[in-house]
Amino acid sequence: MEQQYEDEQSMEIEALQSIFMDDLRVVSEGSRPVTWNCCSASSASQASSDVYAVEVWPQSDDGMKDENAEFGVEFIFAHTPSYPDEAPLVHVSSIRGLSKQHMEECARQVCDAIEENMGMSMMYTLVSVIQEWLNGLDMEKQEASLADDPAVLEKRRREEEEARIAALRAHGHQVTPEAFASWKKAFEDEMREKADGFKREKKGTYGEVTGKQWFLQQQAKGEDVDEAPRSEDDEDFSIIDEEEDIFDDDDDDDLLDQLEDQLQHGNCGMPYRLSNFQGNFECPMDVRVGKPHNLQQLGEILNEFDKVKAVGNGHSFNKEFLCAGNGTDSINIVMTELDDTRKYILAPPSPDLWLDMEIPDDFPIQVDEQAMTVNISAGITQRILIDYLSDYVHWDEPKGWTLPAFSWFIDQTMAGAVATGTHGSSMRYGSLSSQILAMDMMLANGTIITITPENKHLWNAAGVHVGQLGIITSLLMRIVPQQAVEKTVYEGDFQGEFSDYVQKVSSDYKQALEIGDVDLIKEILFELDETEAFWFVPENIAWVVRFSHLKRQPWFVKENIAPEEIPQVEAFDANPDMFVFPQNERYQPLEGVPAMAAGDSKMWSRFFRNALETYATEGTFESRKAYLSMIDQGMSMHAGFSPYNQFEVAIPLTNVAECLPRVLDVVYGDEKLYEGFRTPGLVRFTPGESFYLSNAQGDKGPHMWINLEDYVTFSDPNHTPNEKFFKVIRLFVEECDARLHWGKAGFQEAVDSTDYDVVEKYGNNWCSFGCAVHQLDPTRKFSSMNDTFWEFYAKTSPNGPTAELSSIMDTCCLSNGPFNADACICA
C-alpha cells in the first residue's frame, strides 16, 4: 500500500511539473514553513517527500496569470505518507498586497477544498481554488474602488486610455495609396533583416482590440469617437502585384522563404514537411511538396504527377487520407502557398484599408453585402475569415458580418474544413458544407469547374468529398450580419442531467416523426439549436452552453437541409511552370508528457476545466465572440503542450435515446473507461444533409456529434494504445451506429478500416459518390495513400459477381448522375 501512495504522489508531481514547468520549484530545507495551515505544527515532520512551492496570481482578461497584479499568493505544499487518503501539508503566504486577515480567509478556502477532495490527487485543484479566490478579491477591489471615488477612477481610466491610444498611434501612420509603395519596400527590408538572425516570430493582430471593438466600447461609454487607436501591426499589410513578389525566387532566398512560412504556419510541418501540425502522421519522404504561386502552376503540377492531394495547415489526424501516395510520383500541394493567400496571411490588412483604395480583384476574401455572400480562396483559414468579416463595418452593415455557424477549431483552411464536413452546432445552418453556395474545383486534367446546387449529383458529391474529386480553389458562402447574442452556461452531471435531457429530445423526436407533425418536429429540435456541451469525462461533469438572440426561433429550425440554386460560373484552363520540392529534413515531432499517460485522469480533467473557464463566461456579446471557438492563445497551447489524437463520432438523433445510456453505463462502470480521458469532449448538434458522404447524411436526419481527444497514447513512452479510450469510440460506432469524422482519427486506431463497413454506414450514397469519383477523376489521381479504402464495388444481381464500379458504370451509374439502385446493388 505504501508503494501505491508513493507512485500516485510521484505521478502527481510529474503532472504538476508539466503544467507549471519552471513556476513549480523545490523549497530548500531552511526556507520551509515553521507551521502548516490546516495541520498541527508537529505534522511538518510527516512530509513524505520534497516540499514544493508555486506562485499564484489573479488571471488577466486573456486568461493568463497577471504577475503585475496588486496581490499574489505563494502556495507551499508537501505530500504526507498516505496522501491522498490523508490531508497534505499546505501553507499560504502573501507575496504582496494581502493582510493577515486575507491569508486566514485564503487558508480556510484551501482547507475546505482539501476536505472536499480527500481520496483524490488535489494539488492542482488547490492552486485553482487560490486563483479563483484571488480573482474574486481583484473584482471586489475594483468594485470598491469604483464605489469609493468614481471621479478619480474615471480620470485615471481616461488617462490610461489616452496613453494607450498615443502609444498605439506612435507605431504607424494613416495608410494611404501614397504611403503604400514606401511601406512595401520597408517591409521587404525588415523581413530580410529578420532572416539574417533566423528568429521566427508569428505576426498578426488577433490578440489586439480591433477598430470596430474600440469604436463600440467608446460608444457604449458615451464618449466621442473621433479616431480609433491603431495596433502595432496596423501598417503591416499589403496587396502585392502578381508580377512583383515580396522575395526573389532564387535558391539563395530559401532561408528567407522558410522564415516567411514559419510566420504563416506556426508549429506545423507544412509547407516543408508533410505531417500534421504537431509533426505526427508523416507522409513518406519520397512524396513531393507542391507550392504553386497561382492556379496556372497548380494545373501544371496536376499534369505532371500521378497521385495528388491538397493540404493546408496540417489539421489532420489520418495519415492515409492526408498523404497523396507513397513514392516520387506523388505530391501534396500546399494551398496556403498561392500568392494571393500567402501574402494576406503574412500581412493581413484590416477592411479599413478599402476606405482609401479599391479592393484588388485577386484579394482572397471578397464580400458582397447586397447578396450576403463572401468569395474565399481555398487556403484562407476559418479564423482569418471570420475575424475579417467581423471587422467589415464601414459600408452596409455597421455591426460587421459572420458565418452563420462556425466550428470550435478554426485554424484549418476553409477548403479543408468544407471537404471534411467541419461543423459548429446549429439546427438551422448545419455544417460549413451546408453554408456554401458554389465551389470552384480543379480537376485531374487541370481544368476548373464550378459546382452549384443546379447539378444535384455533383453538388451532393462535392459538399463532403475528402479530397477525392479534385482540388477546391475557391468557395462562395453565405454570411449573416453580426448581432447581440446572449450566452448562458449550466453545469450538471453528464450521465444524469444532460444525458437524460438529450435522451428525452431523442424520444420526443422519434414520436413526432411517427405521427408526421412537422411543427412539432421543429419545436422539439429547437431544444438543441445552438446548444453545445463540454463533457469532462473523468468527473462526469457537463458544461451546457446555450445561445439566444432575436433571430433564433423554432420555425427557423431544419430537420434536413436542402441545397439552394445559384447561377453557374464559367470554368477555365491552367498550364504554366511548376513549383515542386522534396520534403526537408524531419522535425522531431512534439514530445509527449509522460505524466499525461500515467497521471490521475480526474486531476487532468480539473486542470483543463480550469483552463476552459474563459469559454464559459456568460453575457451578451457580438456573434464572433459569443459562439464557441478556440482562441488564438488556446490554439498555441493546444498545439504545443502535448501531442494528441482527435476523434469525432456522429450519432443519429433517433438512436441517442437507446444507445447513449448503454455507452455511459460502460464508461462509468467497473471497467472505468473514463480513465482513458484527459481533455473534455465537445458535444454539438446539426440537421441532416444531402451530401453523399456527410456524417449527418439526410436519410438519418439530425445528428449528435461528440468530439474526443486521446492524449495518453502519444505521451506513453512506448506509445501503448489507450485501450480504454478506444473502447469508448468503438462503443459509439457499434452501439449507436455512429459515423467517424472524415478529417479526424479512428479509421486505424479505434476500428479496423477493413471492418468499417462504408456501404453499411452510407448505403447507396457510397456508390453514388463512387460514380462521381469515376466521372470526375477516371485515373484516380486523387485517391490518396489509402486507395484501397476508396474503392467502389457493385453487382448487377443479388447472386451475381461483385465488380469494380468503374467496369460497370454504364449499367450502375446514371448518365453523369448518381448510382442506379434499380439496376445494381452497392457492394
Side-chain angles (χ1 to χ4, degrees):
M1 192 68 177
E2 181 179 339
Q3 185 62 46
Q4 179 181 339
Y5 288 129
E6 290 179 2
D7 291 344
E8 186 163 357
Q9 292 166 18
S10 176
M11 285 189 294
E12 182 177 41
I13 293 300
E14 287 184 26
L16 293 172
Q17 287 171 336
S18 66
I19 295 169
F20 296 114
M21 295 182 284
D22 294 340
D23 290 341
L24 182 71
R25 67 183 193 281
V26 177
V27 180
S28 62
E29 189 79 31
S31 301
R32 296 181 181 182
V34 177
T35 60
W36 297 87
N37 304 122
C38 316
C39 307
S40 65
S42 62
S43 67
S45 61
Q46 298 177 5
S48 62
S49 60
D50 288 332
V51 177
Y52 296 89
V54 64
E55 293 182 356
V56 187
W57 300 91
Q59 284 182 316
S60 59
D61 292 340
D62 61 3
M64 308 299 287
K65 66 179 181 180
D66 183 6
E67 294 185 5
N68 296 318
E70 294 185 30
F71 35 71
V73 169
E74 182 179 54
F75 175 55
I76 301 177
F77 66 90
H79 291 135
T80 49
S82 299
Y83 171 87
D85 289 335
E86 67 171 322
L89 305 175
V90 296
H91 179 81
V92 291
S93 61
S94 172
I95 297 175
R96 63 170 173 258
L98 295 170
S99 66
K100 180 180 177 181
Q101 290 75 20
H102 280 132
M103 296 320 302
E104 289 174 352
E105 171 61 23
C106 181
R108 282 194 294 272
Q109 297 275 349
V110 172
C111 291
D112 290 346
I114 289 174
E115 291 182 12
E116 293 173 3
N117 289 276
M118 288 295 291
M120 298 185 294
S121 299
M122 66 180 78
M123 293 307 177
Y124 181 79
T125 300
L126 300 184
V127 173
S128 301
V129 166
I130 296 171
Q131 188 170 66
E132 290 173 6
W133 177 75
L134 286 172
N135 290 340
L137 201 64
D138 188 37
M139 185 64 67
E140 289 174 9
K141 187 175 181 66
Q142 292 178 31
E143 292 174 352
S145 174
L146 181 63
D148 290 344
D149 195 347
V152 171
L153 187 70
E154 177 63 16
K155 181 175 181 295
R156 182 189 308 163
R157 188 195 64 73
R158 284 180 177 274
E159 290 173 349
E160 290 174 349
E161 185 66 15
E162 288 171 2
R164 184 177 72 85
I165 293 172
L168 290 169
R169 283 175 179 161
H171 287 289
H173 53 277
Q174 179 66 36
V175 176
T176 65
E178 292 74 22
F180 178 75
S182 174
W183 170 83
K184 176 177 175 290
K185 183 179 184 302
F187 176 73
E188 294 174 7
D189 293 342
E190 179 188 349
M191 293 299 290
R192 285 192 171 86
E193 288 172 6
K194 288 185 178 181
D196 291 338
F198 204 58
K199 294 180 179 179
R200 305 177 177 190
E201 297 177 357
K202 186 176 181 180
K203 297 178 73 66
T205 59
Y206 306 131
E208 303 288 343
V209 178
T210 66
K212 176 179 68 65
Q213 292 169 332
W214 181 87
F215 179 88
L216 294 175
Q217 288 171 5
Q218 301 301 95
Q219 193 177 56
K221 296 169 186 172
E223 297 186 11
D224 292 333
V225 183
D226 296 324
E227 183 178 357
R230 303 178 57 76
S231 78
E232 293 183 11
D233 295 326
D234 270 357
E235 65 175 28
D236 285 344
F237 44 68
S238 76
I239 306 302
I240 297 170
D241 290 338
E242 199 62 37
E243 308 83 48
E244 192 172 3
D245 202 351
I246 294 179
F247 304 108
D248 297 330
D249 293 325
D250 297 337
D251 292 341
D252 292 340
D253 284 340
D254 184 59
L255 189 66
L256 188 59
D257 288 341
Q258 292 197 37
L259 170 60
E260 282 190 272
D261 288 303
Q262 182 64 19
L263 294 175
Q264 174 179 340
H265 293 271
N267 294 326
C268 67
M270 307 289 184
Y272 294 101
R273 286 151 300 275
L274 298 174
S275 68
N276 86 335
F277 65 102
Q278 291 188 319
N280 293 306
F281 308 104
E282 297 172 321
C283 300
M285 282 297 290
D286 284 342
V287 179
R288 295 297 186 252
V289 180
K291 298 189 291 180
H293 285 206
N294 50 52
L295 296 181
Q296 285 71 28
Q297 292 167 8
L298 174 61
E300 182 65 20
I301 292 174
L302 285 177
N303 288 331
E304 291 293 326
F305 283 83
D306 295 334
K307 303 277 284 182
V308 179
K309 199 76 172 175
V311 289
N313 281 338
H315 280 261
S316 175
F317 299 87
N318 191 323
K319 174 181 178 179
E320 283 72 16
F321 295 173
L322 168 71
C323 304
N326 292 287
T328 55
D329 65 338
S330 306
I331 187 167
N332 279 81
I333 300 175
V334 187
M335 294 301 289
T336 54
E337 291 297 288
L338 293 169
D339 279 351
D340 62 346
T341 302
R342 186 185 193 198
K343 294 167 187 174
Y344 176 55
I345 294 175
L346 285 170
S350 163
D352 297 353
L353 180 62
W354 315 133
L355 293 172
D356 297 316
M357 58 190 297
E358 291 293 323
I359 302 177
D361 292 338
D362 64 349
F363 187 69
I365 303 176
Q366 299 281 345
V367 176
D368 185 337
E369 293 186 288
Q370 296 300 312
M372 297 178 64
T373 62
V374 60
N375 199 292
I376 318 135
S377 293
I380 291 296
T381 66
Q382 196 178 167
R383 182 186 301 278
I384 286 176
L385 173 62
I386 58 180
D387 283 344
Y388 180 86
L389 291 174
S390 176
D391 290 339
Y392 205 90
V393 299
H394 299 293
W395 297 276
D396 292 354
E397 183 48 67
K399 294 179 182 178
W401 298 85
T402 190
L403 294 177
F406 46 85
S407 61
W408 165 251
F409 287 93
I410 55 175
D411 288 289
Q412 71 278 69
T413 63
M414 289 302 300
V418 166
T420 53
T422 298
H423 61 93
S425 192
S426 170
M427 294 301 298
R428 179 181 183 185
Y429 295 109
S431 72
L432 290 173
S433 298
S434 284
Q435 297 168 50
I436 59 175
L437 300 171
M439 173 192 303
D440 280 356
M441 177 181 288
M442 184 173 286
L443 304 182
N445 61 6
T447 61
I448 292 180
I449 63 169
T450 297
I451 302 174
T452 72
E454 289 181 341
N455 188 326
K456 184 178 179 181
H457 167 55
L458 288 187
W459 183 254
N460 286 337
V464 180
H465 65 272
V466 202
Q468 293 293 309
L469 300 178
I471 295 177
I472 297 175
T473 59
S474 68
L475 296 162
L476 183 67
M477 300 190 70
R478 294 182 180 90
I479 56 174
V480 295
Q482 289 209 104
Q483 58 184 318
V485 178
E486 182 181 8
K487 178 167 70 172
T488 53
V489 182
Y490 308 88
E491 181 174 318
D493 294 336
F494 192 91
Q495 185 189 35
E497 296 168 82
F498 182 70
S499 62
D500 290 349
Y501 164 74
V502 177
Q503 290 164 42
K504 184 178 186 307
V505 174
S506 172
S507 297
D508 292 347
Y509 170 61
K510 288 177 67 176
Q511 293 177 12
L513 280 178
E514 291 173 1
I515 62 177
D517 189 329
V518 175
D519 290 336
L520 180 59
I521 289 173
K522 287 180 175 288
E523 185 177 332
I524 292 167
L525 295 181
F526 182 66
E527 290 290 321
L528 302 179
D529 183 41
E530 297 189 357
T531 295
E532 306 185 41
F534 290 109
W535 175 20
F536 299 93
V537 183
E539 302 176 273
N540 188 30
I541 290 175
W543 283 356
V544 184
V545 187
R546 291 201 175 100
F547 306 90
S548 60
H549 49 82
L550 291 177
K551 294 184 179 179
R552 184 175 177 268
Q553 302 292 342
W555 51 86
F556 287 138
V557 168
K558 298 180 181 179
E559 182 183 4
N560 294 291
I561 294 180
E564 298 175 9
E565 295 187 356
I566 65 166
Q568 184 85 9
V569 181
E570 191 174 335
F572 63 89
D573 295 333
N575 195 22
D577 301 330
M578 56 182 250
F579 286 77
V580 175
F581 305 88
Q583 295 184 60
N584 281 18
E585 258 181 62
R586 298 290 195 201
Y587 283 150
Q588 180 67 29
L590 183 64
E591 293 184 3
V593 178
M596 290 284 279
D600 176 11
S601 62
K602 291 184 179 180
M603 189 280 292
W604 281 108
S605 181
R606 290 194 293 273
F607 164 66
F608 284 106
R609 183 154 51 89
N610 184 71
L612 285 170
E613 285 185 351
T614 300
Y615 301 101
T617 303
E618 294 185 316
T620 301
F621 312 91
E622 61 184 73
S623 305
R624 168 67 182 95
K625 303 299 182 185
Y627 295 114
L628 296 182
S629 67
M630 185 170 286
I631 61 176
D632 204 20
Q633 299 94 325
M635 187 60 215
S636 297
M637 176 187 171
H638 209 70
F641 179 58
S642 180
Y644 67 99
N645 218 344
Q646 190 174 88
F647 301 70
E648 188 165 27
V649 293
I651 307 167
L653 186 60
T654 51
N655 296 352
V656 169
E658 295 181 2
C659 80
L660 187 58
R662 296 199 300 267
V663 172
L664 295 179
D665 284 345
V666 180
V667 170
Y668 295 108
D670 294 338
E671 294 183 70
K672 298 182 179 179
L673 299 186
Y674 61 81
E675 292 179 341
F677 294 80
R678 300 294 182 265
T679 56
L682 180 60
V683 181
R684 291 164 292 182
F685 303 89
T686 65
E689 297 177 322
S690 64
F691 307 118
Y692 296 143
L693 294 191
S694 172
N695 287 315
Q697 219 293 318
D699 61 350
K700 296 190 177 181
H703 278 62
M704 172 182 178
W705 301 75
I706 307 179
N707 185 89
L708 300 165
E709 295 168 343
D710 170 25
Y711 271 82
V712 173
T713 299
F714 278 119
S715 287
D716 182 89
N718 300 314
H719 286 190
T720 304
N722 183 4
E723 279 302 327
K724 288 189 174 182
F725 178 95
F726 293 156
K727 183 167 183 178
V728 175
I729 301 297
R730 286 194 292 269
L731 282 170
F732 280 123
V733 171
E734 295 164 5
E735 294 288 332
C736 301
D737 190 27
R739 294 164 172 168
L740 296 172
H741 191 292
W742 292 112
K744 301 179 183 180
F747 294 91
Q748 284 75 41
E749 298 84 354
V751 299
D752 188 332
S753 60
T754 58
D755 294 334
Y756 189 74
D757 191 334
V758 288
V759 175
E760 179 182 326
K761 294 291 183 185
Y762 294 92
N764 288 331
N765 286 315
W766 177 255
C767 282
S768 286
F769 184 75
C771 291
V773 165
H774 289 293
Q775 289 157 5
L776 296 184
D777 183 22
T779 63
R780 303 308 319 280
K781 187 182 289 285
F782 301 111
S783 61
S784 72
M785 174 188 283
N786 192 354
D787 50 9
T788 58
F789 183 92
W790 298 101
E791 292 178 345
F792 306 91
Y793 296 94
K795 49 188 179 181
T796 55
S797 64
N799 298 321
T802 298
E804 290 188 7
L805 184 60
S806 58
S807 67
I808 50 176
M809 282 187 61
D810 290 343
T811 302
C812 296
C813 296
L814 299 173
S815 178
N816 293 318
F819 184 68
N820 186 354
D822 293 332
C824 298
I825 300 168
C826 189

